[in-house]
Amino acid sequence: MIELMNAIVGDSKLGLSPLTINEMFTSQGECEWSGLGCFLGNTSNGFELSSLGWGVGFQSLLALYPQKKEGIIILTNTELGIHQMDGLIGEIYRAFIGKE
């Protein structure tokens, strides 16, 4: 996440160009909420890039706020059988963005 935020302003340690990162953060096709490998949206924290992960025995969430240079990664070693936002991950996320 730090590397993505650095690349936006041209300070990538890995050589990622701002143009490449901006393409990732740009809506693709007809889905305004879908970037390259991530979801795009607006929250009370401003522009958000996010990704959800799940499988047998785990769930996760990543949310990045480039303008604020903040983000959160939540990893759990459980799979509750419900969407991440309906369980503990959702509660932590809402507390982080200030929407309880």
Side-chain angles (χ1 to χ4, degrees):
M1 288 190 337
I2 292 169
E3 182 61 20
L4 289 176
M5 289 185 287
N6 288 340
I8 291 170
V9 295
D11 193 24
S12 171
K13 308 281 188 280
L14 300 176
L16 299 173
S17 75
L19 185 61
T20 300
I21 299 307
N22 284 331
E23 184 68 22
M24 181 180 180
F25 290 1
T26 301
S27 297
Q28 303 295 315
E30 295 183 24
C31 297
E32 64 184 51
W33 48 265
S34 180
L36 292 176
C38 58
F39 298 111
L40 309 171
N42 289 299
T43 69
S44 60
N45 278 352
F47 175 76
E48 176 187 88
L49 177 139
S50 63
S51 181
L52 300 168
W54 62 92
V56 176
F58 78 93
Q59 285 188 327
S60 63
L61 173 137
L62 172 145
L64 172 66
Y65 306 93
Q67 291 92 352
K68 295 182 80 173
K69 294 197 172 198
E70 293 181 355
I72 185 170
I73 299 172
I74 306 168
L75 306 169
T76 66
N77 62 348
T78 187
E79 195 276 306
L80 302 175
I82 58 175
H83 191 279
Q84 288 92 323
M85 300 309 286
D86 295 332
L88 178 62
I89 287 177
E91 290 182 36
I92 295 169
Y93 169 82
R94 286 184 291 280
F96 177 77
I97 65 167
K99 283 186 163 181
E100 196 54 61

